Amino acid sequence: MNKSEQKRSIYQHFAVVAKALGHEYRWELLELIAQGERSVDSLSQFTELAVATVSQHLQQMRRAGLVCSRKKGRFVYYSLADDRVITLMGGLRDVAERNIAEVRQLVDSFHGDSSTLDAVDAHELLELLSSGSVILLDVRPEQEYASGHLPGALNIPMEELQERLREIPEGQTIVAYCRGPFCALSQEAVELLREQGLEAMRFDSGYPEWKASGLPVQ
Amino acid sequence: MNKSEQKRSIYQHFAVVAKALGHEYRWELLELIAQGERSVDSLSQFTELAVATVSQHLQQMRRAGLVCSRKKGRFVYYSLADDRVITLMGGLRDVAERNIAEVRQLVDSFHGDSSTLDAVDAHELLELLSSGSVILLDVRPEQEYASGHLPGALNIPMEELQERLREIPEGQTIVAYCRGPFCALSQEAVELLREQGLEAMRFDSGYPEWKASGLPVQ
DNA sequence: ATATCATTCAATTATAAGATTGATAGCTCA
DNA sequence: TGAGCTATCAATCTTATAATTGAATGATAT
């Protein structure tokens, strides 16, 4: 095999990785897997896709080095191969948002007019936390919180937030976070909290991005 | 459109960007475009692909926000939309190399046993340059050098290197660079220079990566 | 104006990827 | 051991993407 063929073969393999990110369902699956390892069945339920379909998508991502799997009892648990995958997804998102006007609009309208302004990035959140002036609220399901969360975060799943409002210490601004930039949970939380007259804003990404950027987790 | 549909639509668009990186030909085209803007015709000649094929691939990449085009006379010149695209490609390469054993092997055998050891990264190169102890050699075609190169680099295209050896100042180690990590030129150059008894090594990436990481160019 | 040339478009055929279904493998627990 | 379950495989149909060809566009130069 000469240099030119070798190069083509290498690029072919890179293309395999890119193709693995070339389907919307796989982005949704990755968003969930990034919270912690999950079984095929659980992913199938969450995404409302057929088990066989999910299994095939997962295998394609495994071949591409995006996820890895581990068998435990009757279940196969998939997890991210590497935190670099989160970084890669972020890079892709960045290119899409910056270079395609349509995507910018979609993302803007997803985040809504008001809450975009009040989203804090990791740097700002770190400052707020060190000043001790905010409550950090994790609104993901309990299981996802359990498999890893931001240090000092209080967990109240979005579904239970309405009933458990009194568990939140009063008098401090609340910063809510969830699975990532396109998970609607933290946004819903902010809306609910504001309706209650509380001061609230959302973290502009989520647990996976926090972890991938090397910040400490619990 | 509700949140869930919006999210799916956003992920769909991200998938479009990923798909655009999901073909080996497009990686080859990007490697060339990353050196500076190029016409469809010139890209077609270099890659030995039909003009219409190249045109279609380019359009797909334009839709994905990877490249942009500009008409000048009878020619359409394509260039990178953004240096972030280089970063993105690097991230993809990283995931592929780290998580797929087969790719690691391919990349290793591409770079050859000996020259891998003597490849320097951007950081090392910067140190070498500031110590003034090395000659920096750009072995890309003249036109690519002209549209941008590392500061202080001497340009001798690989094709002419054999005949123009005497233009290289003697007594110093030579660091050769080219289009990027999978361009064979700098490696060929190192082999040729070593056969001549000169001390030579290669830069482990290329001009586009240097530029994308924010380092100065001429 | 018209000939020329680079590029794109449009239509066709070939190839590859996705979804669905039913069957199979492998693990648990009775 | 065998019923019951999870996940994967295999086969099929459907859909999407690629390459090729020839025609069309649009700018340039005579």
Side-chain angles (χ1 to χ4, degrees):
Chain A
M1 189 150 69
N2 68 29
K3 285 288 158 198
S4 166
E5 286 167 341
Q6 281 184 305
K7 175 164 136 181
R8 191 152 287 189
S9 174
I10 289 169
Y11 281 162
Q12 231 164 35
H13 281 84
F14 292 171
V16 168
V17 180
K19 275 182 200 163
L21 287 169
H23 197 289
E24 59 200 298
Y25 291 174
R26 291 195 284 268
W27 279 79
E28 295 189 19
L29 291 169
L30 284 170
E31 181 182 85
L32 292 171
I33 295 172
Q35 313 306 318
E37 65 174 14
R38 301 192 63 144
S39 70
V40 179
D41 185 65
S42 130
L43 289 166
S44 159
Q45 284 174 17
F46 243 90
T47 56
E48 300 182 334
L49 297 170
V51 178
T53 305
V54 170
S55 173
Q56 281 168 185
H57 282 301
L58 290 170
Q59 280 173 70
Q60 185 176 347
M61 290 198 283
R62 186 173 49 197
R63 281 192 298 273
L66 299 182
V67 300
C68 53
S69 63
R70 152 180 106 84
K71 197 155 192 173
K72 191 184 168 191
R74 290 177 293 176
F75 294 83
V76 175
Y77 291 93
Y78 280 85
S79 52
L80 276 198
D82 196 319
D83 274 346
R84 263 173 283 267
V85 174
I86 295 296
T87 313
L88 175 56
M89 290 167 77
L92 232 146
R93 179 194 152 196
D94 224 40
V95 168
E97 276 190 50
R98 286 180 185 272
N99 301 338
I100 314 176
E102 198 187 343
V103 175
R104 262 198 306 281
Q105 287 174 354
L106 271 168
V107 171
D108 279 357
S109 86
F110 178 87
H111 287 138
D113 305 317
S114 58
S115 64
T116 310
L117 299 170
D118 299 309
V120 294
D121 62 26
H123 184 254
E124 292 164 333
L125 180 52
L126 272 171
E127 281 192 359
L128 286 170
L129 289 173
S130 70
S131 77
S133 59
V134 293
I135 302 272
L136 187 55
L137 182 65
D138 185 325
V139 292
R140 297 177 300 160
E142 204 173 319
Q143 192 211 327
E144 295 174 19
Y145 174 84
S147 77
H149 55 265
L150 271 59
L154 171 68
N155 178 231
I156 306 181
M158 187 55 214
E159 286 189 341
E160 308 167 14
L161 187 55
Q162 182 77 61
E163 309 124 44
R164 295 175 57 185
L165 277 173
R166 66 186 57 180
E167 293 177 31
I168 305 172
E170 282 176 50
Q172 276 179 287
T173 301
I174 302 157
V175 179
Y177 76 90
C178 53
R179 298 190 179 114
F182 303 104
C183 171
L185 294 177
S186 66
Q187 205 181 317
E188 287 171 28
V190 168
E191 281 164 20
L192 191 153
L193 294 168
R194 288 189 179 170
E195 280 170 21
Q196 302 296 321
L198 296 165
E199 230 183 287
M201 45 198 184
R202 54 177 210 87
F203 174 37
D204 71 355
S205 42
Y207 166 73
E209 290 78 11
W210 176 276
K211 182 161 174 277
S213 68
L215 293 166
V217 295
Q218 270 177 353
Chain B
M1 192 151 65
N2 66 29
K3 285 288 159 197
S4 165
E5 286 168 342
Q6 279 185 307
K7 174 164 138 182
R8 189 152 287 188
S9 174
I10 289 170
Y11 282 161
Q12 231 163 36
H13 281 83
F14 292 171
V16 168
V17 180
K19 275 183 199 161
L21 286 169
H23 197 290
E24 60 200 296
Y25 291 172
R26 291 195 283 268
W27 278 80
E28 294 190 21
L29 290 169
L30 285 171
E31 182 183 84
L32 292 171
I33 294 172
Q35 312 307 317
E37 64 173 17
R38 300 190 63 143
S39 71
V40 179
D41 184 66
S42 129
L43 289 166
S44 159
Q45 285 173 17
F46 246 90
T47 55
E48 298 181 336
L49 296 171
V51 177
T53 305
V54 171
S55 172
Q56 280 169 186
H57 283 300
L58 290 170
Q59 280 172 69
Q60 185 177 347
M61 291 198 283
R62 185 172 51 195
R63 280 193 298 274
L66 299 181
V67 301
C68 54
S69 63
R70 153 179 106 84
K71 197 155 192 173
K72 190 185 169 189
R74 287 179 296 175
F75 294 83
V76 175
Y77 291 93
Y78 280 86
S79 52
L80 277 197
D82 196 318
D83 275 346
R84 265 173 282 266
V85 175
I86 294 297
T87 313
L88 175 56
M89 291 168 77
L92 233 146
R93 179 193 152 199
D94 224 40
V95 168
E97 277 189 48
R98 288 182 183 269
N99 301 339
I100 313 176
E102 198 187 341
V103 175
R104 264 198 306 279
Q105 288 175 354
L106 271 167
V107 171
D108 280 357
S109 87
F110 178 88
H111 287 137
D113 306 318
S114 59
S115 63
T116 311
L117 300 169
D118 299 310
V120 294
D121 63 25
H123 184 254
E124 293 166 332
L125 180 52
L126 271 172
E127 280 192 358
L128 287 169
L129 289 172
S130 70
S131 77
S133 59
V134 293
I135 303 271
L136 187 56
L137 182 65
D138 185 324
V139 292
R140 296 176 301 160
E142 204 172 321
Q143 192 211 328
E144 295 175 20
Y145 174 83
S147 77
H149 55 266
L150 271 59
L154 172 68
N155 177 231
I156 306 182
M158 186 56 216
E159 286 189 342
E160 307 167 14
L161 186 56
Q162 183 77 62
E163 310 124 42
R164 295 174 57 186
L165 276 172
R166 65 185 57 180
E167 294 178 28
I168 304 172
E170 283 177 48
Q172 277 179 286
T173 301
I174 301 155
V175 178
Y177 76 89
C178 53
R179 297 189 181 113
F182 303 104
C183 170
L185 294 176
S186 66
Q187 205 181 315
E188 288 171 27
V190 169
E191 281 163 21
L192 192 152
L193 294 168
R194 287 188 180 171
E195 278 169 21
Q196 303 294 321
L198 296 165
E199 231 183 289
M201 47 198 184
R202 56 177 209 85
F203 173 37
D204 72 354
S205 43
Y207 166 71
E209 289 80 9
W210 177 277
K211 182 160 174 278
S213 68
L215 293 164
V217 295
Q218 271 177 353

